[in-house]
Each structure stands twice: as structure tokens, then as C-alpha cells.
Amino acid sequence: MHMSVQTHYQAELDAGRFCLQHCPQCQQHVFTPRELCPHCGASPLRWVGASGLGTVYSTSTISRKQDAGGNYNVALIDLDEGVRMMSRVEGLAPEAVRIGLRVQAQVVHKDGRGLVLFQPAQEKGAPA
Ligand SMILES: [Zn+2]
């Protein structure tokens, strides 16, 4: 049975794995999941585990009532693999998230479904 790429992506997340696609022809990573490489048209794309490391490209604070959970962050994250995704940065106040902040993905489960959120990265020993 052929599983759609979106279904495959979600099934990996549900199992706690954050995966991206990688094109064996042009060697670029692909996100969001596609049947064909958006760069060169090759197919099929390979599934690879994401490093989960990225940098905040843009950030905004979404207002929400305190009894609904309070304000939260929505950010575009540039993953180190060269793809951009929309997610949320947690672990600090939504308005404290800054462009350029290094972040680390984690898969969390909400209502039985896996979902990628980010936290500030704990990187050490990076050469200057
Ligand atoms: Zn390609």
C-alpha cells in the first residue's frame, strides 16, 4: 500500500521521530514532505532523521487568554539541514524569543499525535 508522504511524516512523528526528506540526486533536504524533489524533480526522496538543530528566522507572540494557556510563540525556524519550518519555541517567555536564537527540536505528543516543538539549544564547544 502506498502511504502518502504526509502520512509517513506524521507516522514517524507519532513514533517520536522527526524526519525530513533528502534528495539522493541533488543532495538537498526537503520540507514540507513532497513526492518529488522541489529542487530538481527527482523521485523518490529518502527519509532521514533531522538533527533538530536550527536558528529562529522570525518570531511573533500570539495573544491568548490566560485561562486558555496564555500567550504563545510562533516562529519560523531555519533547520541546519537548510529547510524552514513553522513551529513554536517553548521553555522561555514568548516575547523573549529572538531572531538568531539557536534552538533544538523535540517531538511532543498531544492527543496521541506527534508534533515538533523547539527549545533553546544547549550547545557547547562550538568553535568561534
Ligand atoms: Zn533534488
Side-chain angles (χ1 to χ4, degrees), residues 23 26 37 40:
C23 176
C26 72
C37 175
C40 74

Side-chain angles (χ1 to χ4, degrees), residues 47-116:
W47 289 97
V48 294
S51 72
L53 284 167
T55 304
V56 173
Y57 171 79
S58 74
T59 175
S60 40
T61 300
I62 309 298
S63 298
R64 188 170 55 178
K65 287 187 177 142
Q66 218 34 256
D67 58 12
N71 293 353
Y72 65 98
N73 170 269
V74 172
L76 285 173
I77 313 287
D78 281 340
L79 294 177
D80 287 2
E81 285 86 348
V83 298
R84 184 168 290 167
M85 72 181 294
M86 180 174 284
S87 183
R88 290 169 19 207
V89 179
E90 303 201 321
L92 71 175
E95 52 284 338
V97 179
R98 294 278 178 259
I99 290 168
L101 179 71
R102 292 288 289 161
V103 290
Q104 168 75 57
Q106 58 175 174
V107 179
V108 302
H109 287 85
K110 205 158 248 176
D111 305 323
R113 310 213 71 192
L115 141 100
V116 178

Side-chain angles (χ1 to χ4, degrees), residues 8-57:
H8 183 107
Y9 173 73
Q10 186 60 50
E12 293 282 0
L13 280 184
D14 293 349
R17 292 185 294 269
F18 175 28
C19 290
L20 301 174
Q21 291 172 296
H22 182 260
C23 176
Q25 187 159 310
C26 72
Q27 304 297 322
Q28 297 190 73
H29 286 87
V30 176
F31 187 85
T32 55
R34 314 277 179 95
E35 297 286 347
L36 304 178
C37 175
H39 307 290
C40 74
S43 164
L45 300 172
R46 291 192 308 126
W47 289 97
V48 294
S51 72
L53 284 167
T55 304
V56 173
Y57 171 79

